[in-house]
Amino acid sequence: MITNDSVILGLLAAVLLFVGVTRQFGGGWQKFYTFVPVILVCYLVPSLMRTFGLIDTSESNLWPIAKDYFLPAALVLLTLSIDMKAILGLGPKALIMFFTATVGIVIGGPIALWIVAQFDPSILGDGENAAWRGLATLAGSWIGGGANQTAMLEIYGYNPERYAALVAVDIIVANIWMIFLLYGAGAPEKIDRWLKADTSAIERLRDKMADYSASVERNTTANDWLVLGGFALAAVGLSHLGGQAIAALFERAFESSDGVLASKFFWVVVISTTIGLGASFTKARDLEGVGASKLGTVFIFLLVTVIGTKMDILQLGDAPSFFAIGVIWMLIHTLLLLIVGKIIRAPFFFIAVGSKANVGGAASAPVVAGAFHPALAPVGVLLAVLGYALGTYAAILTAELMSLVGG
């Protein structure tokens, strides 16, 4: 079993190399990637490496590196040439699907707990071992993110010794759902036809971004890459500098490090996105001509491979009742999204991104949005930030509803 981060990163790079090379082939490979989206392959292969014991990332630092460096760099590069007016022109359906996803988490928790308790009453527990206390942390993670999850653990005082099972449910159930979303992102047309969705606004934004990229594209030089790389990494550094300072201010103000506003990662996401959007109104936007969004997409693919190493499907057997709750919970969330999406004829893009802005937050919402088209990644970021803001409040509501079931 490989535990060395350098070797694991090399294996992940080899996965990207394999995908990049085989995409150039015709015949069978072309048919394969028609049915299995490229980004899904980059996600699944590392997860199989983890599941079958080739690599062990339990003590790995690759995820913090990916989250702290790859993600903000991708956000800056992908938002650099974005047209904010066109994003705002996507209309209200994105927000409707986001809030539908939130409602699905809020009502799904107590319903799933009640259903599983009918077959396994012992799952309810009591005191600090009460299931609803632990599931509150899951609600915090699925509506907001890691900071909201930690806040719920502190507020409701779940037994820390049993917390690991909830973390496993969080990671595996959310990542299995991501597999379906990435697959759908590779060929959304069939789902959009079933939804009878109007995708014209999304197509206009996608085409407008593609036309702009083509209009400014030029033969690149080493100096172009020096400027592009320097801009991206300088923005990452500035994001961390600002994020650390702002988080420290809120930590002192609230005398706690558990709140979302006291989370450095939250501010890194906000600042890096703001830098990219701000630069899109300047001449820096022309960096798209030397491949800003292409390099940003490479960072997204790297991020996807690292996220894949977090899923070990074999852990499903460690806490079957909690996993049953997680699966039913996610099914309720999904069913509600599809029903509302069908009613308002929302494109699958809004369903997928609205869901991941809740279940995954800023680390995966832009990944799913970017799987549709790199120009759409900022939509995922903006909704994910909204998820952070609502996460704690919605998770508290979910926890209180679950406490009525748990007694």
Side-chain angles (χ1 to χ4, degrees):
M1 185 176 289
I2 300 169
T3 59
N4 185 298
D5 277 350
S6 300
V7 178
I8 294 173
L9 182 60
L11 288 173
L12 299 182
V15 172
L16 296 180
L17 174 64
F18 174 81
V19 168
V21 171
T22 54
R23 283 183 74 189
Q24 300 176 12
F25 299 154
W29 283 111
Q30 188 173 6
K31 292 180 181 177
F32 174 77
Y33 287 121
T34 300
F35 294 100
V36 184
V38 172
I39 200 164
L40 182 57
V41 176
C42 295
Y43 178 79
L44 279 179
V45 174
S47 70
L48 294 175
M49 290 180 181
R50 165 77 184 271
T51 297
F52 294 106
L54 176 61
I55 59 175
D56 179 5
T57 55
S58 57
E59 302 295 329
S60 173
N61 288 314
L62 284 179
W63 174 239
I65 291 172
K67 183 179 70 171
D68 292 340
Y69 299 98
F70 298 162
L71 178 61
L75 294 179
V76 170
L77 293 169
L78 290 172
T79 54
L80 190 59
S81 60
I82 198 65
D83 186 331
M84 273 303 294
K85 184 178 179 181
I87 284 186
L88 295 175
L90 290 175
K93 290 183 180 180
L95 283 177
I96 293 173
M97 296 317 301
F98 169 83
F99 286 112
T100 299
T102 302
V103 171
I105 298 297
V106 171
I107 66 173
I111 294 173
L113 178 59
W114 181 83
I115 291 173
V116 174
Q118 305 309 302
F119 300 93
D120 181 14
S122 65
I123 189 65
L124 294 175
D126 55 20
E128 67 173 1
N129 293 322
W132 69 268
R133 296 182 187 275
L135 293 170
T137 68
L138 200 57
S141 175
W142 283 358
I143 301 173
N148 307 86
Q149 184 178 31
T150 304
M152 292 303 100
L153 182 63
E154 184 68 24
I155 291 170
Y156 290 105
Y158 186 63
N159 184 353
E161 294 180 1
R162 304 182 67 176
Y163 181 50
L166 273 302
V167 174
V169 173
D170 177 12
I171 293 172
I172 295 175
V173 174
N175 280 275
I176 289 174
W177 174 226
M178 190 169 178
I179 290 173
F180 288 100
L181 292 179
L182 291 176
Y183 183 82
E189 295 81 11
K190 291 182 180 179
I191 304 175
D192 285 331
R193 281 198 297 271
W194 177 78
L195 292 167
K196 297 181 179 178
D198 178 11
T199 61
S200 57
I202 296 172
E203 291 166 358
R204 280 196 301 271
L205 174 60
R206 182 193 63 203
D207 295 342
K208 190 173 184 180
M209 290 300 303
D211 291 343
Y212 177 76
S213 297
S215 69
V216 296
E217 190 171 7
R218 64 178 189 267
N219 291 328
T220 57
T221 65
N223 192 67
D224 289 329
W225 283 99
L226 188 66
V227 172
L228 183 61
F231 177 81
L233 295 179
V236 170
L238 185 60
S239 300
H240 280 273
L241 179 65
Q244 185 173 351
I246 297 173
L249 286 175
F250 281 103
E251 184 176 345
R252 286 195 295 270
F254 297 131
E255 297 182 349
S256 171
S257 61
D258 293 332
V260 173
L261 295 177
S263 167
K264 176 187 170 185
F265 177 66
F266 169 78
W267 289 109
V268 167
V269 169
V270 171
I271 294 172
S272 58
T273 304
T274 303
I275 291 173
L277 290 175
S280 72
F281 294 96
T282 71
K283 287 292 290 181
R285 190 170 189 240
D286 290 344
L287 287 173
E288 175 61 21
V290 299
S293 64
K294 294 182 179 68
L295 182 58
T297 302
V298 171
F299 282 124
I300 287 289
F301 272 78
L302 278 169
L303 184 66
V304 168
T305 60
V306 176
I307 292 175
T309 66
K310 296 175 66 182
M311 184 171 70
D312 181 354
I313 298 174
L314 297 180
Q315 289 183 355
L316 283 169
D318 293 345
S321 293
F322 276 125
F323 276 106
I325 291 172
V327 170
I328 294 171
W329 195 343
M330 193 60 67
L331 287 173
I332 294 169
H333 165 81
T334 305
L335 185 61
L336 186 62
L337 280 170
L338 291 175
I339 291 172
V340 174
K342 180 76 171 176
I343 292 172
I344 69 171
R345 298 186 177 184
F348 179 62
F349 170 75
F350 290 148
I351 294 175
V353 176
S355 175
K356 288 310 292 182
N358 283 269
V359 187
S364 53
V367 170
V368 171
F372 286 83
H373 191 276
L376 300 174
V379 180
V381 180
L382 297 175
L383 290 179
V385 170
L386 181 58
Y388 275 123
L390 294 178
T392 298
Y393 306 107
I396 290 174
L397 174 59
T398 309
E400 295 302 322
L401 291 174
M402 289 189 293
S403 71
L404 299 176
V405 176

